[in-house]
Amino acid sequence: MNYPSHRINVPRSARYHLLGDRRGAEELWLVLHGYSQLASSFLKWFEPVARPGRLIVAPEGLSRAYFDESGARRVGASWMTREDREAEIEDYVRYLDALTDELMGSIPPLPRIQVHGFSQGAATAARWVAYGRYSVVKLVLWGGTVPPDIDLERLRSHLRDGKVVVAAGDRDQFVTAEQVRNEQARLLGLNLNLEVRPFTGGHVVDRSTLVAIS
């Protein structure tokens, strides 16, 4: 039996972590973690590119759960699942807009925005750039690609003549070299400014590639 579905909007809190000083920030980086990660541990991957004038912000996904790893239980977060996915996408787009509103209001003059997303966070980052309120100068997708259901014209309109960077390791078990080639052909066919950054490694944010991109 199918029961009717209803919806209610509720206030809730969301957690984020900062690396850098809001005062005098010329760049605002939003860095979005992957499935089952927490924002605090993910932010450590960006310590090599911290510098004066750059505020790096790691928001945490709104859904937390216990994950089994090497016989132990740990807590991680995710951005969405396939259940009620459209509503979850709308929720995190509003969340990231609201967070950016708060951050931009405390950093005069307005900084340049750069977005990095890893794995599941790569899809989240691309959707937010396409459907959120802010324009960005660079979208970096680590171990992930632009979701096929995104309106690429909207994505391009929010890139402010910036670029999309796809960075994937040659041993990435989730993103193959063929997928990267297909993504390159798809995005270049729409005149998106695309840069592909292969590196030696697996499903990670590679330190040397990150430093080169920054």
Side-chain angles (χ1 to χ4, degrees), residues 10-43:
V10 298
R12 63 154 298 168
S13 63
R15 183 166 67 178
Y16 64 94
H17 299 269
L18 301 179
L19 175 59
D21 195 337
R22 297 183 192 223
R23 294 170 298 180
E26 300 169 346
E27 299 177 19
L28 171 63
W29 286 28
L30 290 181
V31 298
L32 308 184
H33 64 78
Y35 176 74
S36 86
Q37 293 181 306
L38 290 176
S40 57
S41 57
F42 181 64
L43 189 56

Side-chain angles (χ1 to χ4, degrees), residues 46-110:
F46 289 83
E47 289 178 353
V49 294
R51 67 165 180 79
R54 177 178 292 159
L55 178 64
I56 305 176
V57 183
E60 194 160 272
L62 295 174
S63 299
R64 297 190 190 94
Y66 289 105
F67 296 88
D68 292 324
E69 186 176 273
S70 303
R73 297 183 81 200
R74 63 174 182 81
V75 177
S78 69
W79 293 99
M80 62 171 288
T81 66
R82 66 174 179 268
E83 182 70 22
D84 205 17
R85 67 187 299 275
E86 291 80 10
E88 290 202 317
I89 291 170
E90 291 175 4
D91 283 345
Y92 70 59
V93 168
R94 282 196 298 267
Y95 161 33
L96 295 172
D97 273 346
L99 172 59
T100 308
D101 287 345
E102 177 178 309
L103 294 167
M104 296 290 271
S106 64
I107 314 174
L110 299 182

Side-chain angles (χ1 to χ4, degrees), residues 100-176:
T100 308
D101 287 345
E102 177 178 309
L103 294 167
M104 296 290 271
S106 64
I107 314 174
L110 299 182
R112 300 181 299 276
I113 302 175
Q114 187 170 145
V115 186
H116 291 244
F118 169 66
S119 194
Q120 187 193 52
T124 304
R127 287 193 178 100
W128 179 64
V129 171
Y131 299 114
R133 293 197 304 269
Y134 286 88
S135 295
V136 308
V137 298
K138 188 180 293 184
L139 170 63
V140 185
L141 306 178
W142 296 91
T145 56
V146 175
D149 58 346
I150 277 187
D151 183 337
L152 293 178
E153 287 298 330
R154 287 186 63 115
L155 179 67
R156 181 167 56 183
S157 72
H158 285 177
L159 280 171
R160 282 179 50 188
D161 299 323
K163 66 169 57 175
V164 178
V165 179
V166 176
D170 58 2
R171 297 193 301 275
D172 193 315
Q173 66 269 41
F174 298 105
V175 179
T176 66

